[in-house]
Amino acid sequence: MIFEESYTLHNGAAIPKLALGTWFIDDDKAAEAVRAAVDIGYRHIDTAQAYGNERGVGEGIRTCGIDRKDIFVTSKVAAENKSYASAMESIDKTLETMGLDYLDMMIIHSPQPWVEVNQSEDRYYKENREVWRALEDALEAGKLRAIGVSNFLEGDLENIFAACRVKPMVNQILCHVGNSPLDLIDYCRKRDIVVEAYSPVAHGEALKDGCLAEMAEKYGVTIPQLCIRYDWQLGTVVLPKTADPEHMKENGDIDFVISDADMELLKNAEPVKDYGEFSFFPVYGGKLKKYRVEIKR
């Protein structure tokens, strides 16, 4: 069964291959979404300090009726926290906000503060080492069971390797048809880092693709199912986000196999250049001015 499948991190912890992403789920709706997901079969829930819904996600975990040890919970140190002290304080705050004794994993959300993503050449090497040291200490203290990073490129990872006591266990990256960083995935795999794929449906843009629609019809599935299965067959943990229980069920119904030939077609698909109304976000190539305007609204 899809929900029962997992990868083993290099410290021995099992991480379920399919997760519920909670970006854009409001805090007051997050608990209900988590409970619905767990009821359907999800055992991996992903949130972040930047999402503003850790309280609701934590409530959902605590009230879902499943033993805490059977649910893998991830959050992320906000990209703006670039010191040991601020990172450690944020980890403690996350545990308090979520009402949990520990997290299964905490990751650095971005090597750069969001306002500098796609704006600056500064990769914050020194600062990220300090944040990583905080994660290592929290891991040793039993506050976390695993630690990792997000949006890190090869150079960012090499910087951590050069000074770490514990190497990153995951790298959560933007990965979907039309944006498949295969070299980075291969790099991580060779270094025993599990890759997590966020935005597998390209934040909805994949739904507009006629070629994907034709291939999905060929397999008798929806476009989201095809996209999620694609990331699954790349060997990544997949994090589709939704608050809709019907979509949660659909996203987990991916027990089919994309042929090798079709996988090659998808790997070489035309790059997604426009993420529509979500293009202002830095991870999609958004620029600082537009990003700030949107956040103020």
Side-chain angles (χ1 to χ4, degrees), residues 3 14 24 26 40 48-49 79-80 96 111 113 126 134 156 187 209 213 232 257 267 288:
F3 295 118
F24 270 91
D26 292 338
I40 289 165
Q49 294 169 355
E80 291 71 29
E96 178 185 353
K126 179 180 178 181
D156 303 313
Y187 170 91
D209 190 306
W232 180 281
V257 178
K267 288 177 184 178
L288 176 62

Side-chain angles (χ1 to χ4, degrees), residues 81 105 164 168 175 208 235:
N81 287 321
M105 186 162 67
C164 68
C175 180
K208 307 171 185 178

Side-chain angles (χ1 to χ4, degrees), residues 16 25 35 40 47 62 84 118 121 142 181 219 261 268 278 288:
I25 299 179
R35 287 191 291 264
I40 289 165
T47 184
R62 299 192 314 272
Y84 177 91
N118 299 314
E121 294 183 2
Y219 286 98
N268 293 286
F278 300 102
L288 176 62

